[in-house]
Amino acid sequence: PSMICPHLVYPDIEHIPFAELKKAGFLHVVFDKDNTLTDHDVHEFLPSKYNSFIQAQSIFGENNVGIFTNHLKIKSITHKNRLLPSDLFINWETAQKKPFCLPEIEQYFKKKAGKFEADKMIIIGDRLLTDVALGKQAKGLSVYVLPWDLAREQTGIKVSRQLENFVWEKLY
């Protein structure tokens, strides 16, 4: 159960104190896409989420911030109908899914930033069994943000979320 207990919980990414986390020594930020930056299965940033993403990039550096989604074929995201660079995405079609993708994340940051320290990484997402578990596995910081777009989630995600909610309510 401790693997799915986040270090920090916020209602959304707008509340995350990126400057304080940088001061605390964290170097890398990995954002989940669905229900963290975009509506579920939508490839357009929500405006307020885009501003927070840009804030994280300005604080940590563009090469130290990436997006990982378990929709492994997704390679693009837009803001105001403008396509953003595909190298924002850490994953590729043959990548392992979260929480088993630490080697892919390491490779991404070593290529873009020249270094990677797993324990200095922040994983931000709305899923306890994937995002939070990945942050815990990496010995980094797991930040759980509350999901908002549950209606369009696939059946498997809905079932997993029910399990997450059950465990969360019983243990925490």
Side-chain angles (χ1 to χ4, degrees):
S2 67
M3 285 299 288
I4 64 168
C5 182
H7 295 103
L8 301 171
V9 178
Y10 292 100
D12 51 51
I13 64 173
E14 293 95 318
H15 291 86
I16 298 173
F18 291 111
E20 289 178 31
L21 295 173
K22 177 71 173 172
K23 276 188 200 174
F26 291 98
L27 303 174
H28 316 289
V29 181
V30 176
F31 286 92
D32 174 49
K33 185 186 92 52
D34 292 330
N35 276 323
T36 304
L37 299 172
T38 69
D39 285 333
H40 185 77
D41 261 351
V42 175
H43 310 304
E44 173 80 14
F45 268 102
L46 291 173
S48 62
K49 311 305 180 196
Y50 179 75
N51 294 338
S52 295
F53 182 81
I54 294 301
Q55 179 190 26
Q57 282 187 319
S58 70
I59 291 169
F60 288 91
E62 288 184 16
N63 292 334
N64 286 307
V65 177
I67 301 169
F68 197 107
T69 178
N70 273 348
H71 297 279
L72 299 178
K73 293 183 179 184
I74 294 173
K75 293 188 173 42
S76 66
I77 192 166
T78 60
H79 175 62
K80 295 184 178 178
N81 296 317
R82 185 175 59 91
L83 189 63
L84 299 176
S86 62
D87 70 348
L88 292 174
F89 282 93
I90 296 168
N91 53 303
W92 52 90
E93 284 188 46
T94 59
Q96 292 291 317
K97 290 186 173 189
K98 294 177 285 180
F100 308 108
C101 60
L102 193 56
E104 287 89 342
I105 292 172
E106 178 178 7
Q107 182 179 351
Y108 174 84
F109 284 120
K110 281 185 174 179
K111 181 179 177 183
K112 281 194 80 172
K115 65 178 177 176
F116 176 71
E117 296 179 51
D119 62 335
K120 304 248 188 267
M121 175 178 58
I122 303 165
I123 302 286
I124 301 168
D126 70 309
R127 298 285 316 283
L128 299 173
L129 292 173
T130 58
D131 306 312
V132 171
L134 173 60
K136 291 293 199 97
Q137 174 196 359
K139 308 230 183 313
L141 184 73
S142 59
V143 178
Y144 178 70
V145 292
L146 303 178
W148 67 84
D149 185 24
L150 305 177
R152 287 188 288 212
E153 291 184 330
Q154 295 93 345
T155 302
I157 294 173
K158 288 180 180 181
V159 170
S160 293
R161 200 176 290 284
Q162 287 176 340
L163 175 63
E164 291 172 348
N165 291 339
F166 174 79
V167 171
W168 184 265
E169 290 171 8
K170 295 295 180 193
L171 297 176
Y172 306 105

